[in-house]
Structures are given as structure tokens and as C-alpha cells.
Amino acid sequence: MHLVTFERRYAGVADGEPLARAPAASLGESLGFQTLDAGRPGVRRLGAVLQVGPRAGSIVDLNRAFAIKLACEDVGAPEAEADSLLPAGMQAFLRIGRRSREAAHEALEFTARALERFDGPDVAHAGVVIPRVGVRLCAPVPRPGKIIGVARNYPAHAAEQGSAAQPVEPALFLKAPTAVIGPEDEIALPAATSQVDYEGELAVVMGKTTARISAAEALESVAGYCVANDVTARDFQNVRGQKFIGKSCDTFAPLGPALVTTDEVSDPQKLVLHTIVSGETLQSGSTEEMLFSVAEIIAFAARIMTLEPGDVILTGTPSGVGQARRPQRWLRDGDVVEVEVAGLGRLRNPVRSEGPRD
Ligand code: MG
């Protein structure tokens, strides 16, 4: 599944309809439930991307789909049941565990089947299926409990950064959760730095509370994967000795577009990654180049600290960062940074300057 956190841009938009037009009658209302919360623009919801059919790319509101499925089956209190298994927040959803993931699968299958049948429930008008243009995608985990980064995890990147010796263990650092933005949001260049760099990366999203596990068990605790840009202010990181600040400015952690669940990623060490800045491909790599694998990073981190559902691990960046290029290529006002990981999708973040340098 491609799980997303989304906000509606407009209330009650059905596929193929003008955005401003609200549906005449809602299936939810006819089944006796309130539609106001689900339809309000700006309220974050848990969704999944439809992968096939004429509405491929549209977003399914999982809570609402599940409630309508239960109502069609005459299950009592369908909304309360849907709320308990498919809460709006990704971390709450992950914390519930297997039952909530099964409910998400059932909701998605119910929706796909209803769309195929001409006599099925009208899920498009029930606010279950929302066209992509009708939503703003947020980061799949908009405010992780923690973001752990791994420094110099690709040998070619470590070399271009001037590190002669390879790390003997994963070199972990923390990045502030407030830096997270969505897959299409703007990266803001703070006035306090003039050396903002991109780092395209594979991000791991934890699915379970995890401590003291072996590398062999580690991938069982992963919920899924997404694309990340570990944006970094190099002057803070290197010249001013402020590594935490260099990684943690607001907007410096674009994540998304979806949390792709592990059943759809057969091997996290075989994913091709590209970073494209204003049309020019500046990073091309594969996760098979990693010095420490996803499993080894998780096992190492979990020896020291408890990992929780929704925690994000940024697994390091391949070579080709702006600092190592000649001439150096810092992000500028008006740039567009795209990071793509095969099978996981693409981030596309415009860059804007916050104002004059100080
Ligand atoms: Mg990084």
C-alpha cells in the first residue's frame, strides 16, 4: 500500500467534477453519518493511493471507506469502529498494529471493487475517493517522534566530503522533527546561511516499538519506506560546528510522497535514487552502495535507544552533493529539487529564499 497523510483542498470534491461543486447527496449521509469532519479542508486524514483502474492516482480516505464498508454490512456503530482502527494520524495508526493494517487493506479493496461495479456504492460521491488535484499531500509522518540520520553511509559520498577513513559503525545524528515538510512544500532558505545543500535519501519509517534486536530481525519492525531530502546548511554543519542546527532548520526534511509498505519493497538495498535540481540530475546512486544496510542501522540504533512507531531513519546520501561539486552548487531561490527513489515516488520541492542574508 502507498499510505499518505493528506488534507482536502476543498470539501466534497468527487472525481472528474469541478473543484468548487459539492455533491448533491452523499452516500454517507444516506447511511446516516456526519460528513463534516471528513470533508473539511485543512484537516489531516490517513489515505491510500489507488494504484490501478481509471482513477489510479486518486486518494482513498481510509477511515471513511471503512466506515461505509461496515455500514453496507450492517455493522453497528461503523464510524466508531472505523475511528478506532483507522485514526487520522499515521503514528496512531501504526501503533495499533496488525488489525489497523488489515482494516486499511480491506478499505482499499472495498473501494476498488465499488469503483468497478456499476451498481456498487457510489464511493466517489461519498467523499471516499478524492482526485489527486483535490488534496494537498503532507509528509506521511508529519511530526515523527525522532528523525535519525546516518552520516557518510555511502563510501563515494564520504570520499567527496574528505573522509579518508570509512566509519566503523553507523554515524548517527538527530534532526529536529519540526523540519519535516510535505512532498510538494517549499524549502525555505534561512537568512542565516548561504550554503544550503540537498541530500537525496531513502527514509525508513518504523512500525513497532523496537529495542535490542538483531540485524536479522530488524526489518520486521519497519512499516515502510519513503523518499527524503536531508537538506543541510553546510556552513552551520562544517564551519560553525553546529551540526544539529545545520540539519534542523525549518523545512529541511521533505518526506513523502507516500509511506510504501514493506510488502511492496522486496529489497530495500536494491533501490535506485536520483536527485534533480532545476532539471539537472546531480545525484544518481543505488541503496546497494550503502556501507551499513537498513537492517544494520536499525539494529545499531536500537541497541542505544528505543525506536517507536513513526520514527524516521534517513539512511545517508550518495555522492554528488552540491558542496563537493566544482563549482559548488548551493540551493538558490527559484530552484526546484526533485528526489526520486524507484518504486517509492518523487519529492518535488520548490526553493525560496527567506530574505536578505545577515
Ligand atoms: Mg544525510
Side-chain angles (χ1 to χ4, degrees), residues 113-254:
R113 274 202 308 274
L115 288 170
E116 281 169 11
R117 284 172 40 190
F118 75 93
D119 60 344
D122 188 357
V123 286
H125 280 91
V128 169
V129 180
I130 309 141
R132 181 63 187 82
V133 69
V135 306
R136 170 180 168 256
L137 288 186
C138 309
V141 188
R143 188 60 60 88
K146 56 184 168 294
I147 305 172
I148 298 171
V150 187
R152 306 188 307 281
N153 199 32
Y154 286 72
H157 171 62
E160 75 180 0
Q161 294 291 83
S163 294
Q166 291 187 350
V168 294
E169 58 188 18
L172 306 185
F173 60 87
L174 277 174
K175 192 170 173 93
T178 42
V180 171
I181 58 170
E184 296 166 354
D185 294 343
E186 283 184 340
I187 297 167
L189 303 176
T193 164
S194 57
Q195 297 185 349
V196 178
D197 207 346
Y198 51 85
E199 294 187 358
E201 306 201 7
L202 169 70
V204 178
V205 180
M206 298 304 295
K208 287 183 192 164
T209 300
T210 304
R212 320 302 181 255
I213 51 153
S214 67
E217 305 164 288
L219 294 186
E220 289 166 29
S221 58
V222 173
Y225 302 92
C226 64
V227 186
N229 187 350
D230 179 17
V231 182
T232 305
R234 300 288 183 205
D235 38 9
F236 273 115
Q237 181 192 32
N238 298 326
V239 182
R240 296 160 76 164
Q242 296 271 19
K243 291 189 192 309
F244 178 68
I245 293 178
K247 292 288 184 181
S248 297
C249 303
D250 287 348
T251 77
F252 275 22

Side-chain angles (χ1 to χ4, degrees), residues 295-310:
E296 289 167 336
I297 295 164
I298 292 170
F300 179 79
R303 250 190 268 157
I304 299 153
M305 65 186 94
T306 300
L307 304 176
E308 297 181 314

